[in-house]
Amino acid sequence: VAAEGSVVNAKFPAPVFARTSIGNFVPETIFSAMAQALPDRVIAASGSTPLWAQYIFGRRRDGSQFAPLNAANGGLGARAGQDGISCLTFPVNIGNTPVEVLESDIPALVKRRELWEDSAGAGRYRGGLGQRFEMVVLEGDLGPDGPLLIGFRGGRYYFPVPGLLGGQDGPNGKLVINGSVATGGGDAIVPPGGTMMCEIPGGAGLGNPKDRNTQLIERDIAYGYVSLAQAQKVYGYACKGTPTPTAATLDV
């Protein structure tokens, strides 16, 4: 039960478009409040809160219209006893829109969708990784009939994903439209040849990073989840060379 007129119980004529973006923060707030009392039952903040998504409107050259939703998730926060999961939305249940589906539906090319190295908050258990997503609108005969109108949802542009119980924060999100840094919550015109790039944060860490298992650190370096420089900085990893992947390392 929330007080009428508060941000989670809005009263007319308060603006409530994309109201789920606010609701996404409620579990994070509860976990933060309960962490000291129930440290074994909490989840650190997630980079996929709020949901990152784009509504993409336009017209094909044959006159037909399209209006798909592209969902691109950040990382789940670290959990008590486990790392977070990469590119998994929370607390809602929307999957990442497959590249093949998006490219089949609209005249655009996805240049990359990749795990974002060093995007997870460090901790005894680290957050799941976020992702980099980059798309270019096609030109010429393969392009749309005019520009695209893209509506953006996302967050964490100014405040990082907060760590829990000594865990470190996840990074800020970043949105670049046609080469210029922007923020979500509005619309943008992207013409043929224009680009959209999102850096969607990973989840926050849980627990002191100095307590992380060395084998887990070496596994993350070997997989490319964490750079050697970052491992040395945030975890105090002492080795200078990049670990060689081994069955023991990768199966941790």
Side-chain angles (χ1 to χ4, degrees):
V1 177
E4 186 177 10
S6 65
V7 71
V8 289
N9 190 0
K11 185 178 179 180
F12 183 83
V16 293
F17 173 75
R19 60 197 179 279
T20 53
S21 294
I22 294 297
N24 289 172
F25 286 102
V26 173
E28 177 182 317
T29 305
I30 294 171
F31 286 135
S32 178
M34 300 298 294
Q36 295 296 332
L38 299 170
D40 59 339
R41 297 182 63 184
V42 294
I43 302 175
S46 296
S48 55
T49 301
L51 172 70
W52 282 64
Q54 303 91 42
Y55 297 94
I56 305 173
F57 306 92
R59 187 186 301 273
R60 302 181 184 89
R61 288 189 170 273
D62 63 5
S64 62
Q65 297 180 336
F66 53 83
L69 172 69
N70 177 52
N73 297 317
L76 181 71
R79 299 160 290 172
Q82 299 183 72
D83 291 343
I85 300 173
S86 298
C87 302
L88 179 72
T89 191
F90 181 83
V92 294
N93 59 348
I94 297 176
N96 295 280
T97 303
V99 169
E100 296 83 357
V101 170
L102 189 66
E103 289 183 337
S104 297
D105 203 20
I106 67 173
L109 175 70
V110 177
K111 297 182 68 175
R112 59 176 170 172
R113 163 167 270 166
E114 62 188 15
L115 293 176
W116 177 10
E117 186 183 52
D118 293 335
S119 63
R124 181 178 182 182
Y125 302 102
R126 64 156 175 77
L129 273 72
Q131 65 175 291
R132 285 192 176 101
F133 177 88
E134 185 175 5
M135 183 186 82
V136 59
V137 182
L138 295 175
E139 299 180 274
D141 293 339
L142 296 177
D145 182 13
L148 304 187
L149 174 65
I150 306 181
F152 298 93
R153 294 177 62 175
R156 309 287 192 179
Y157 300 108
Y158 306 110
F159 300 98
V161 186
L164 196 60
L165 296 173
Q168 293 192 1
D169 298 346
N172 290 109
K174 186 177 181 181
L175 174 64
V176 181
I177 306 299
N178 300 323
S180 298
V181 177
T183 58
D187 299 333
I189 300 295
V190 182
T195 58
M196 174 187 75
M197 194 279 289
C198 305
E199 289 185 340
I200 306 169
L206 188 149
N208 190 336
K210 299 300 189 291
D211 294 334
R212 185 162 177 79
N213 183 294
T214 301
Q215 282 189 299
L216 291 175
I217 299 171
E218 292 180 341
R219 180 205 63 182
D220 288 351
I221 298 171
Y223 274 150
Y225 296 162
V226 178
S227 67
L228 178 60
Q230 182 78 349
Q232 292 170 337
K233 177 182 178 181
V234 300
Y235 293 112
Y237 183 67
C239 297
K240 296 183 179 179
T242 301
T244 301
T246 64
T249 298
L250 302 182
D251 288 342
V252 172

